[in-house]
Amino acid sequence: MLCENCKQKEAKVYMTKVINGIKTEMNLCQSCASEQGFFNASPVSFTDFFQGILDMTPGMDTEFVKDSNNSSVHNVLKCSKCGLTYDEFKKTSKLGCIECFNLFRSNLEPIIKSMQANLHHTGKYPKRLGGSLLIKKQIGELKRKIAVCVQDEEYEGAATLRDQIRKLEEELKNE
Amino acid sequence: MSKWYEDSIIDSGTAISSRVRLARNLSKFPFPLKLSKEQGEEMIKEVVSAIINERTPLTSHFKSFYMRDLSATEKDSLVERHIISPEFRSLNRPTNVLISNDENISIMISEEDHIRLQSVFPGNEIEKAWELADNVDNLIEETVEYAFDNDLGYLTSCPSNLGTGMRASLMLHLPALESNNQLENILKAVGKFGMTIRGTYGEGSESIGSIYQISNQITLGTTEKEIINNIKNITAQIIDQEEKLMIKMVKNQPLYMEDVIYRAYGMLTNARALSEKEALSFISSLKIGYNTGILKKQKPKTTIYNMIINIQPSNLQKMYDVSDYALLAKARASYIRDQFESD
């Protein structure tokens, strides 16, 4: 079949994009593929192999690129704000901007889980963003406390907490 | 104005200094790795003006330096005084450092993250270091907007700094634990609490002068208070073990200890040339001598920590205007002898 881009050379690179569950396919010739940033097949190194395994985690948005030999696999997600590519991220293990955290979220989660205590921040909140975020956090904590009170049958305590939550929810509406 | 390491309380005890470092990024710019030169300059101006402006009372206490305006010696000296990291010193992109006059606070702009705020105190004062860092952090935030996520906390370039963005550490002098090969055990023990310990001077885990740094590794999923309490408690235990072991060593080998200490004193007060490694090792023994009371000689004019800082190459060069290796060794010995000379 002919390349979908230039419509002249034969398509040798078959690309499947899966983003947010929506699948798109493109068939390109090698020159158009390399123009768009896809590389030719290269020998698989030990690092590639391991990184490849790390890549096979569920819930990931991946772009698979296979050439006619069905060998090399590359991941070409790219941040729209700063231009960081997944390959760059893997090589440097650093993110490029706040948008990267949305784009590479699912890739990041297993990495973060293995180096940190858990995936939820419990510490300081910036005062500026504070506002509604802080109130929501306080409400969450109070709700957890209510559950404990109810378990211990401390209904008076639970009622006080419930009133506190109502007050905070009012504040939230006014934010 | 005296610098914090000239404060004489550093000499009593195992903890030499306490440090809290916070990593922050501005939400509107890409992180340093992806920042264009123009964006970098803009970002630096914003952060500098958050500290140096007409509104804040702290303004007069800070100075701002573009790294490109500093000489190689001045940059090396900043590294030796632990004001900037060695990585920051070698960066090619636009960078700036804000330093408080007493050098308790330094803010590296455009290191791995936009802002690396550091607060250092002499001795065992990790809570004070955190309080000050917290306050300066709030001050900066009055002017700039931080990159922050409800789940991941403060957003940083490296996932290992997410959440609190906080690295708390203490510099400890551990000669007894080191010479009794106990550090391997300490390393394993602190690892279980999400902390790590490594040599401060020297390559990798090697340590010259028996000086080690303990710091937390986990930054996300724990509060700042928890990190501080953890490191306080674990450090207290390490200090306790070190001091008990030192007392034992003195009891068991009084002649050996006395000899090592007095030899060190002899070298420091008489040598005409000293390498950095030798000097650090002798200074370590000197400190043991004073702490245990074995050394019954006059203390040097300046603090032990100040001596450790000043015998490093760039600081010697600033004082004596020498750079040739042989001349450095001579200047080093000369500086040290001076500290013991009565005026």
Side-chain angles (χ1 to χ4, degrees):
Chain A
M1 99 168 49
L2 286 177
C3 169
E4 283 178 25
N5 193 46
C6 64
K7 303 211 201 311
Q8 291 171 344
K9 302 202 189 124
E10 202 183 327
K12 288 211 168 139
V13 181
Y14 305 103
M15 183 181 78
T16 310
K17 243 193 232 194
V18 182
I19 294 186
N20 287 330
I22 301 169
K23 193 170 167 183
T24 41
E25 286 179 45
M26 273 195 90
N27 305 309
L28 305 169
C29 66
Q30 286 204 319
S31 11
C32 289
S34 49
E35 250 187 82
Q36 293 199 22
F38 305 133
F39 307 95
N40 288 321
S42 51
V44 178
S45 71
F46 194 66
T47 339
D48 288 355
F49 186 68
F50 257 93
Q51 285 173 350
I53 292 186
L54 283 172
D55 281 334
M56 300 303 149
T57 48
M60 261 190 27
D61 291 348
T62 349
E63 276 178 25
F64 285 95
V65 180
K66 286 185 179 181
D67 66 13
S68 52
N69 296 321
N70 260 357
S71 39
S72 181
V73 176
H74 280 278
N75 210 335
V76 288
L77 280 179
K78 186 172 172 164
C79 177
S80 53
K81 177 168 168 167
C82 69
L84 185 82
T85 62
Y86 183 75
D87 277 344
E88 268 182 273
F89 165 58
K90 268 225 293 240
K91 239 188 257 171
T92 61
S93 73
K94 309 261 189 292
L95 282 316
C97 71
I98 56 176
E99 192 52 48
C100 293
F101 284 91
N102 293 329
L103 187 65
F104 300 119
R105 197 84 165 195
S106 39
N107 305 32
L108 275 171
E109 280 178 4
I111 296 176
I112 296 176
K113 265 199 190 129
S114 64
M115 35 163 82
Q116 300 284 4
N118 62 56
L119 282 171
H120 188 72
H121 177 60
T122 52
K124 181 178 178 183
Y125 270 59
K127 293 200 178 346
R128 274 194 173 203
L129 287 180
S132 58
L133 271 181
L134 204 53
I135 296 178
K136 281 186 196 152
K137 183 185 170 203
Q138 287 170 325
I139 292 178
E141 278 172 28
L142 289 173
K143 283 189 176 159
R144 275 190 283 273
K145 285 191 181 149
I146 283 194
V148 174
C149 283
V150 165
Q151 214 175 45
D152 298 340
E153 293 186 4
E154 302 240 315
Y155 297 117
E156 261 185 52
T160 317
L161 289 172
R162 184 204 57 207
D163 292 337
Q164 284 179 6
I165 292 183
R166 289 222 179 110
K167 241 172 84 187
L168 286 175
E169 281 174 340
E170 266 304 307
E171 262 188 72
L172 204 57
K173 264 195 232 142
N174 299 333
E175 270 280 321
Chain B
M1 148 139 273
S2 65
K3 306 281 189 285
W4 70 266
Y5 42 84
E6 288 164 356
D7 192 330
S8 62
I9 71 165
I10 307 180
D11 288 333
S12 59
T14 309
I16 297 176
S17 67
S18 312
R19 188 187 83 128
V20 167
R21 180 275 273 154
L22 298 176
R24 300 282 189 257
N25 282 294
L26 277 61
S27 54
K28 61 168 23 164
F29 296 105
F31 299 162
L33 233 68
K34 283 291 181 185
L35 208 54
S36 74
K37 201 166 164 291
E38 295 73 32
Q39 288 172 318
E41 300 283 0
E42 211 190 309
M43 186 271 292
I44 290 174
K45 286 205 180 81
E46 267 200 55
V47 177
V48 172
S49 65
I51 294 275
I52 299 184
N53 57 59
E54 290 101 36
R55 301 184 314 272
T56 59
L58 280 188
T59 294
S60 56
H61 297 269
F62 279 88
K63 287 204 175 62
S64 158
F65 301 94
Y66 278 90
M67 290 294 283
R68 57 176 172 249
D69 294 337
L70 301 176
S71 69
T73 308
E74 283 170 324
K75 287 191 242 194
D76 287 332
S77 172
L78 288 178
V79 174
E80 288 167 5
R81 278 137 70 201
H82 301 289
I83 290 172
I84 64 173
S85 64
E87 293 76 26
F88 187 70
R89 187 243 177 277
S90 330
L91 289 173
N92 280 320
R93 55 176 176 259
T95 49
N96 182 296
V97 61
L98 286 160
I99 308 175
S100 70
N101 297 336
D102 54 16
E103 292 183 11
N104 272 94
I105 293 268
S106 68
I107 303 167
M108 289 187 282
I109 307 177
S110 213
E111 208 235 27
E112 193 181 89
D113 296 298
H114 292 149
I115 294 172
R116 283 285 174 101
L117 162 64
Q118 171 183 280
S119 156
V120 198
F121 274 80
N124 203 348
E125 300 278 17
I126 197 79
E127 292 212 53
K128 269 202 192 145
W130 159 236
E131 258 179 63
L132 184 57
D134 191 20
N135 289 336
V136 179
D137 182 35
N138 292 338
L139 177 67
I140 298 175
E141 214 224 322
E142 280 176 19
T143 317
V144 305
E145 190 182 289
Y146 283 150
F148 185 87
D149 181 88
N150 206 15
D151 288 312
L152 300 176
Y154 289 95
L155 297 178
T156 55
S157 185
C158 186
S160 64
N161 289 312
L162 288 169
T164 58
M166 175 198 229
R167 192 81 61 205
S169 55
L170 280 116
M171 211 187 269
L172 306 172
H173 182 226
L174 305 174
L177 287 169
E178 183 188 67
S179 63
N180 284 282
N181 297 315
Q182 288 304 304
L183 282 164
E184 193 69 43
N185 296 337
I186 302 268
L187 181 67
K188 286 194 196 128
V190 305
K192 299 200 173 101
F193 292 90
M195 305 214 176
T196 187
I197 189 159
R198 60 169 182 86
T200 302
Y201 297 101
E203 296 292 304
S205 57
E206 185 206 351
S207 171
I208 303 174
S210 312
I211 299 176
Y212 293 83
Q213 183 169 289
I214 183 175
S215 56
N216 66 299
Q217 295 214 284
I218 293 180
T219 57
L220 173 64
T222 172
T223 67
E224 288 83 1
K225 260 283 152 193
E226 281 164 0
I227 294 174
I228 296 290
N229 285 338
N230 257 350
I231 204 169
K232 256 178 84 178
N233 293 336
I234 291 177
T235 297
Q237 290 183 53
I238 295 176
I239 291 177
D240 188 53
Q241 282 190 42
E242 166 69 25
E243 290 176 354
K244 284 199 169 101
L245 200 53
M246 182 58 79
I247 291 172
K248 220 169 158 191
M249 276 174 78
V250 171
K251 246 194 192 158
N252 292 347
Q253 308 167 89
L255 179 61
Y256 170 73
M257 293 296 290
E258 200 179 1
D259 189 42
V260 168
I261 289 165
Y262 273 90
R263 275 180 192 241
Y265 178 80
M267 287 296 277
L268 291 172
T269 50
N270 287 289
R272 264 44 191 169
L274 284 167
S275 71
E276 194 183 333
K277 194 170 177 175
E278 286 182 296
L280 283 173
S281 177
F282 292 139
I283 290 172
S284 171
S285 302
L286 189 80
K287 183 171 182 297
I288 295 171
Y290 291 124
N291 287 352
T292 55
I294 290 177
L295 186 59
K296 311 232 188 291
K297 296 281 185 183
Q298 184 92 15
K299 280 197 177 178
K301 278 188 268 195
T302 188
T303 65
I304 300 276
Y305 190 62
N306 211 15
M307 279 172 73
I308 292 172
I309 299 236
N310 286 336
I311 57 168
Q312 288 175 62
S314 300
N315 290 320
L316 280 173
Q317 188 175 343
K318 280 168 80 179
M319 286 188 284
Y320 294 86
D321 198 21
V322 291
S323 53
D324 181 275
Y325 180 76
L327 292 174
L328 268 181
K330 182 181 173 189
R332 184 173 291 116
S334 180
Y335 165 77
I336 292 175
R337 284 197 320 272
D338 274 347
Q339 304 312 309
F340 290 94
E341 228 110 274
S342 41
D343 291 320

